[in-house]
Amino acid sequence: MTIFDLDFMRYALVAAVMVGLTAPAVGTFIVQRRLALLGDGIGHVALTGVALGFLTGTAPVATAVVVAALGAVAIEMVRARGKTSGDVALALLFYGGLAGGVMIIYLTPGESTASLNSYLFGAITSVDATDLWVIAGLAVAVLALLAVFGRELFVLCQDEEVARASGLPVRFLGLLIAVIASVTVVVAMRAVGLLLVSALMVVPVATSQQLTRSFRTTMALSMVFGVLATVGGLTSSFYLDVPSGATIVLLALAGFAVALGIGRFVRRSRTGESTA
Amino acid sequence: MSTAFDMTAGQVTIDGRKILRGIDLTVDDGEVVAVLGANGSGKSTLVRSLLGVQPLSGGSTLLYGRPPARFREWWRIGYVPQRLSVGGGVPATVREVVASGRIARQRRGRFTSSADRQAVVAALNEVGLSDRAGDPVSSLSGGQQQRVLIARALAGEPDAFVLDEPTAGVDAGSQKMLAETLSGLVGRGKTVVLVAHELGPLEPLISRAVVLNQGCKVHDGAPPTAVGAHALPGHDHVHPHEPEPAESGLPSWVLAQEKA
Ligand SMILES: Nc1ncnc2c1ncn2[C@@H]1O[C@H](COP(=O)(O)OP(=O)(O)OP(=O)(O)O)[C@@H](O)[C@H]1O
Ligand SMILES: [Mg+2]
């Protein structure tokens, strides 16, 4: 029996491809903006959203998207004010989001923190046909927005002041990238869980950076690495019977270690050539 | 003749501290204005507020006759910020950074045009970095990165350049190159506002100098003649018994500096 014989595995594989493509694409801009931990911040806030879903009896994914987007906008506004640096703003949300989630789930009758487990650590094999449509729709929207606004986002993430002096709508673009990131986090939540979500946004980017020189190829290659990690991780977790989220992230990290070695080697031989 | 920059009683306050105190500054088309002053005197703040990047807490400023918030022709402005390095957490090639200078001329969702590409090639040539176009900016030296920022502004083919210390960390040869580039631009009627510590080879190009001291404009007019380490503000040169500035032949800002 192969994994393609099982409906739930087919769904899971398609979801894995979607997540593997979008998370690193968004991640490239976020790392460029030096907000690598933004995904983590949003992930923690999304937990409050998930718990709210349980409390109010609505779909946790829907409440997670709303709360995560609000959290991301809050981070962006605190950061743009300039009084608090980005990382401190993020840290505040980490704590608030996690504490809020735990508290709300405790207050919800019939639920306990165990109910949060599949959201914390991912449950990609629980994706059904409806979920898949939602995930695919969101992923396509995210990629389309990045394609349309990519050039402006590049300038924004490279140098906000220059973006302003070029007449770009800096506040709008800042909120746009924040909202795109939060949608991505919630999409990726199904695959790797909120605690590991940011890994898919950052690790493939860090991996491809070892091998590339340009922004464009870094982004393209990180998407390739992202898909390799999610699909590879999902497949091996199925055969090895281990948790999928952790497998995906560990695979991505292994890829980083290999790229680090290759990158060192390539750079050394390159400088060796030029000095010789 | 129109006016590129027009600031009236411009004030900037950050955290309750007055950084700029009532600056009046008009820069006409085709002028080449040097902004001089000691570290922390507010030079960067002044040029940033001319562009609307730094909001004013008092007074007003106009870009080609419009307040920054309602200005639309941003392609007319080329800004070179004061940076130690070209930032960003992801590698970007020299060409990518220079090409981003075209952003104000590009329509959202359109592909890069051949005019865009030609402008980028020309800008890279102008600063002598064509051979490094495919290298990551982070692999360049500080002075070379400064030239990348200048090329980014050139690529936009603006009418007015605002350069914040474009010669900082740039060697003598490259400063000469920059001077040649600027004189070419000036010859074509472009407006230049540049912040500098040492004018060096740029000196002959300057038509006017503005000197700041602790957020106040203390000189606006002919560029100081002996621009070198000697006449620059911040230089510890004491003239204890100097009489009225007008009679001494010394620019008034030298005295203002000494009193400070
Ligand atoms: N974002 C900021 N927050 C707080 N203070 C600031 C900020 N930006 C500038 N300042 C203050 O404003 C004053 C003027 O700074 P500015 O950068 O304009 O000086 P400058 O003349 O360009 O100096 P330099 O020659 O070092 O570039 C300084 O005293 C600085 O401390
Ligand atoms: Mg400065």
Side-chain angles (χ1 to χ4, degrees):
Chain A
M1 185 186 71
T2 74
I3 51 175
F4 297 103
D5 297 331
L6 298 162
D7 260 354
F8 76 88
M9 274 315 279
R10 279 204 298 266
Y11 293 147
L13 278 171
V14 177
V17 172
M18 297 288 174
V19 170
L21 284 175
T22 42
V26 178
T28 310
F29 288 100
I30 287 171
V31 173
Q32 166 85 340
R33 206 159 194 223
R34 299 194 185 283
L35 277 177
L37 296 181
L38 180 68
D40 284 300
I42 296 173
H44 284 65
V45 175
L47 191 66
T48 296
V50 169
L52 269 179
F54 279 109
L55 183 67
T56 57
T58 24
V61 173
T63 47
V65 170
V66 173
V67 175
L70 288 176
V73 168
I75 295 175
E76 174 59 21
M77 291 200 316
V78 170
R79 204 196 55 81
R81 277 288 185 79
K83 295 257 192 257
T84 316
S85 70
D87 61 337
V88 175
L90 282 174
L92 296 175
L93 278 182
F94 271 43
Y95 315 137
L98 197 54
V102 171
M103 184 57 78
I104 291 171
I105 206 76
Y106 172 79
L107 296 175
T108 308
E111 302 289 347
S112 70
T113 43
S115 324
L116 294 177
N117 271 351
S118 71
Y119 295 92
L120 283 173
F121 302 108
I124 197 167
T125 47
S126 71
V127 169
D128 62 22
T130 328
D131 291 337
L132 197 57
W133 280 113
V134 175
I135 291 176
L138 290 174
V140 169
V142 164
L143 292 176
L145 283 172
L146 290 182
V148 171
F149 291 97
R151 213 154 38 192
E152 287 162 84
L153 289 172
F154 173 73
V155 179
L156 178 83
C157 298
Q158 175 91 12
D159 193 325
E160 197 165 317
E161 207 170 283
V162 168
R164 216 171 279 262
S166 308
L168 298 184
V170 167
R171 192 177 305 172
F172 165 76
L173 291 172
L175 293 177
L176 181 72
I177 192 80
V179 170
I180 290 180
S182 46
V183 169
T184 309
V185 162
V186 175
V187 170
M189 163 177 92
R190 299 303 296 270
V192 289
L194 290 171
L195 290 181
L196 293 173
V197 119
S198 193
L200 270 185
M201 299 174 90
V202 174
V203 178
V205 179
T207 306
S208 77
Q209 272 186 28
Q210 306 304 319
L211 311 169
T212 54
R213 304 162 148 240
S214 79
F215 186 82
R216 209 175 267 266
T217 47
T218 303
M219 182 149 148
L221 196 59
S222 73
M223 291 164 82
V224 172
F225 287 139
V227 172
L228 285 177
T230 51
V231 172
L234 177 62
T235 316
S236 37
S237 74
F238 176 78
Y239 288 112
L240 301 173
D241 195 21
V242 286
S244 59
T247 316
I248 289 169
V249 172
L250 287 174
L251 194 62
L253 285 170
F256 173 76
V258 172
L260 193 65
I262 296 176
R264 284 252 171 88
F265 178 76
V266 169
R267 269 193 295 274
R268 190 170 304 155
S269 53
R270 230 180 245 154
T271 45
E273 276 162 31
S274 59
T275 48
Chain B
M1 169 163 305
S2 71
T3 303
F5 303 102
D6 189 5
M7 182 179 281
T8 316
Q11 260 188 41
V12 170
T13 311
I14 299 176
D15 294 335
R17 246 186 76 215
K18 285 198 173 136
I19 310 293
L20 287 187
R21 307 155 191 257
I23 305 270
D24 290 309
L25 180 64
T26 306
V27 179
D28 286 324
D29 262 353
E31 274 197 287
V32 184
V33 178
V35 178
L36 309 170
N39 287 139
S41 56
K43 304 180 298 293
S44 296
T45 309
L46 173 61
V47 295
R48 291 169 68 239
S49 50
L50 281 179
L51 296 171
V53 167
Q54 166 71 53
L56 291 175
S57 57
S60 62
T61 195
L62 301 175
L63 282 168
Y64 288 103
R66 277 170 171 257
R70 288 197 284 119
F71 184 60
R72 291 291 167 266
E73 305 167 307
W74 285 98
W75 54 268
R76 298 186 75 176
I77 307 288
Y79 173 46
V80 177
Q82 182 177 22
R83 293 278 180 273
L84 293 176
S85 64
V86 185
V90 172
T93 60
V94 170
R95 185 183 290 107
E96 281 178 320
V97 173
V98 173
S100 75
R102 298 289 294 175
I103 191 79
R105 288 181 175 274
Q106 291 166 322
R107 296 273 293 278
R108 187 174 290 154
R110 293 280 173 83
F111 286 108
T112 312
S113 70
S114 66
D116 290 336
R117 270 186 289 271
Q118 278 164 19
V120 171
V121 170
L124 284 167
N125 267 331
E126 196 73 57
V127 300
L129 284 175
S130 304
D131 55 329
R132 305 297 301 268
D135 290 351
V137 261
S138 56
S139 71
L140 269 56
S141 75
Q144 289 169 326
Q145 294 192 28
Q146 183 66 45
R147 280 150 62 193
V148 171
L149 296 182
I150 293 168
R152 174 170 65 187
L154 288 171
E157 303 175 296
D159 290 336
F161 288 84
V162 175
L163 313 151
D164 198 344
E165 307 214 12
T167 50
V170 173
D171 63 31
S174 308
Q175 286 200 27
K176 260 212 192 100
M177 239 162 70
L178 176 65
E180 277 163 31
T181 302
L182 281 185
S183 82
L185 296 170
V186 172
R188 280 182 276 146
K190 305 281 183 184
T191 312
V192 178
V193 174
L194 74 93
V195 176
H197 268 282
E198 309 253 346
L199 289 176
L202 302 180
E203 194 188 335
L205 296 169
I206 307 298
S207 59
R208 192 175 137 204
V210 169
V211 182
L212 294 184
N213 183 24
Q214 299 184 2
C216 295
K217 190 171 84 171
V218 292
H219 171 85
D220 186 349
T225 40
V227 174
H230 173 78
L232 270 175
H235 180 76
D236 281 341
H237 198 104
V238 185
H239 302 265
H241 305 297
E242 212 61 65
E244 283 298 286
E247 286 143 273
S248 72
L250 266 174
S252 56
W253 54 266
V254 173
L255 277 167
Q257 186 67 32
E258 282 162 6
K259 272 185 267 164

